């Protein structure tokens, strides 16, 4: 059984004061349930504060939104894996479609980051997903396979198992347009099949695959009930403590 993993990707939102308000409500509402993993992914500037507030919780983990692959050096404006570990970060989102589209990250770059994350014992949440044009052209599987093979190249079996994959169709991110449960399940089953081809079925069966793209309280449960959907990467709805609590609770019930 794969443990569900629900992550709140705050993107470039939430000052420390706003994060405090979110956590006041969220920690109260969500209680101490530990049968799902919850990851809060604040901007770098709120990591330390959120970590302090999460210290008493053993199932809510801290995540970061990006990092550089080098250990240190002249990379103005960048953050290393060791710096994230220093702040007790456990997960790092890599290759998000906004990083790929707006900041030119390629699979080769993402692959370097995935390796650097594992070296520092950070668990990558590797994002993949097709654009609407690619879907309309019947290229979903081709795109997903290429992103998976490129981004995961050279990982050991242990590293693969400790990588979370987030399938996020680009056309569903922040658009209010969610993939149907069938579309999402089909893509997730294909991702798992590809992982089996890259490694083996035993490993593929252990890797957790999140769905992301306009996950809301009212669609979370159906999505999370699909056999190959092991969690959610939530953007917009994760900024609202009550909405995010409902999504976590949907994960508990699914
Ligand atoms: P969304 O974002 O939930 O706002 O669609 C998801 C994501 O980009 O991770």
């Amino acid at each position: 059984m794969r443990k569900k993993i629900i992550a709140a990707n705050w993107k470039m939102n939430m000052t420390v004061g706003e994060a405090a308000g979110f956590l006041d409500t969220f920690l109260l509402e969500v209680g101490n349930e530990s049968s799902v993993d919850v990851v809060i992914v604040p901007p770098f500037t709120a990591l330390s504060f959120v970590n302090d507030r999460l210290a008493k919780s053993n199932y809510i983990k801290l995540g970061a939104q990006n990092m550089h692959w080098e250990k240190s050096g002249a990379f103005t404006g960048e953050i290393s894996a060791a710096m994230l570990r220093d702040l007790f970060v456990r997960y790092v989102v890599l290759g998000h479609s906004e990083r790929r589209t707006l900041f030119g990250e390629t699979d080769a770059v993402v692959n370097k980051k995935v390796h650097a994350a594992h070296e520092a014992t950070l668990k990558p949440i590797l994002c993949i997903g097709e654009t609407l044009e690619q879907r309309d052209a019947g290229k979903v599987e081709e795109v997903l396979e290429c992103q998976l093979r490129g981004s995961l190249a050279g990982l050991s079996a242990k590293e693969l198992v400790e990588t979370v994959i987030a399938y996020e169709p680009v056309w569903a991110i922040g658009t209010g347009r969610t993939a149907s449960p069938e579309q999402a399940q089909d893509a997730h089953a294909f991702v798992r099949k590809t992982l089996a081809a890259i490694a083996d079925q035993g490993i593929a069966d252990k890797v957790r695959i999140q769905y992301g793209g306009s996950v809301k309280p009212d669609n979370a449960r159906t999505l999370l009930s699909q056999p190959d959907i092991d969690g959610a990467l939530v953007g917009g709805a994760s900024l609202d403590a009550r909405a995010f609590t409902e999504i976590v609770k949907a994960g508990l019930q699914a």
Side-chain angles (χ1 to χ4, degrees):
M1 264 300 278
R2 296 178 293 267
K3 191 173 184 185
K4 292 231 175 350
I5 175 165
I6 317 274
N9 175 14
W10 286 352
K11 309 192 179 184
M12 197 173 73
N13 297 291
M14 294 278 201
T15 59
V16 166
E18 288 162 346
F22 176 98
L23 291 173
D24 284 344
T25 308
F26 179 67
L27 294 175
L28 202 67
E29 302 259 332
V30 80
N32 285 323
E33 187 51 66
S34 60
S35 58
V36 293
D37 285 331
V38 175
V39 188
I40 305 283
V41 189
F44 295 131
T45 47
L47 282 171
S48 180
F49 171 79
V50 173
N51 178 60
D52 289 347
R53 290 289 309 271
L54 296 182
K56 285 194 208 79
S57 162
N58 60 355
Y59 78 102
I60 306 180
K61 308 271 174 11
L62 192 60
Q65 298 178 17
N66 182 33
M67 53 169 252
H68 197 273
W69 63 86
E70 290 289 351
K71 289 192 168 66
S72 63
F75 302 99
T76 302
E78 293 291 332
I79 301 273
S80 73
M83 290 167 184
L84 297 179
R85 287 297 295 161
D86 211 23
L87 295 178
F88 304 98
V89 171
R90 307 282 290 276
Y91 289 86
V92 59
V93 175
L94 295 175
H96 189 280
S97 76
E98 286 147 19
R99 301 289 324 166
R100 291 176 188 264
T101 322
L102 304 173
F103 301 96
E105 290 192 13
T106 60
D107 289 326
V109 164
V110 175
N111 183 241
K112 287 201 252 186
K113 294 186 176 196
V114 168
H115 279 279
H118 280 299
E119 269 171 42
T121 65
L122 278 171
K123 293 185 169 78
I125 298 181
L126 167 69
C127 302
I128 57 168
E130 81 286 356
T131 63
L132 192 56
E133 296 83 73
Q134 290 166 331
R135 176 164 281 269
D136 288 344
K139 291 193 170 150
V140 176
E141 296 193 347
E142 191 185 313
V143 170
L144 297 183
E145 177 161 3
C146 181
Q147 290 177 336
L148 282 170
R149 286 190 183 277
S151 308
L152 298 174
L155 290 189
S156 69
K158 183 169 175 286
E159 289 169 338
L160 270 177
V161 170
E162 287 181 353
T163 302
V164 176
I165 310 287
Y167 168 63
E168 299 203 300
V170 178
W171 47 274
I173 297 178
T175 58
R177 208 180 137 188
T178 323
S180 69
E182 296 72 30
Q183 282 173 324
Q185 167 55 28
D186 284 353
H188 282 233
F190 178 75
V191 169
R192 205 173 301 286
K193 192 172 127 195
T194 307
L195 292 171
I198 292 174
D200 63 46
Q201 193 63 49
I203 288 168
D205 286 340
K206 290 196 185 113
V207 175
R208 296 186 290 179
I209 309 172
Q210 296 177 311
Y211 169 80
S214 299
V215 175
K216 308 283 175 215
D218 60 359
N219 60 25
R221 187 146 175 204
T222 337
L223 285 162
L224 290 166
S225 306
Q226 303 303 310
D228 286 296
I229 301 189
D230 309 312
L233 182 54
V234 188
S238 76
L239 298 174
D240 179 303
R242 286 205 166 75
F244 188 60
T245 306
E246 282 183 52
I247 296 171
V248 171
K249 292 196 168 154
L252 293 171
Q253 289 154 4

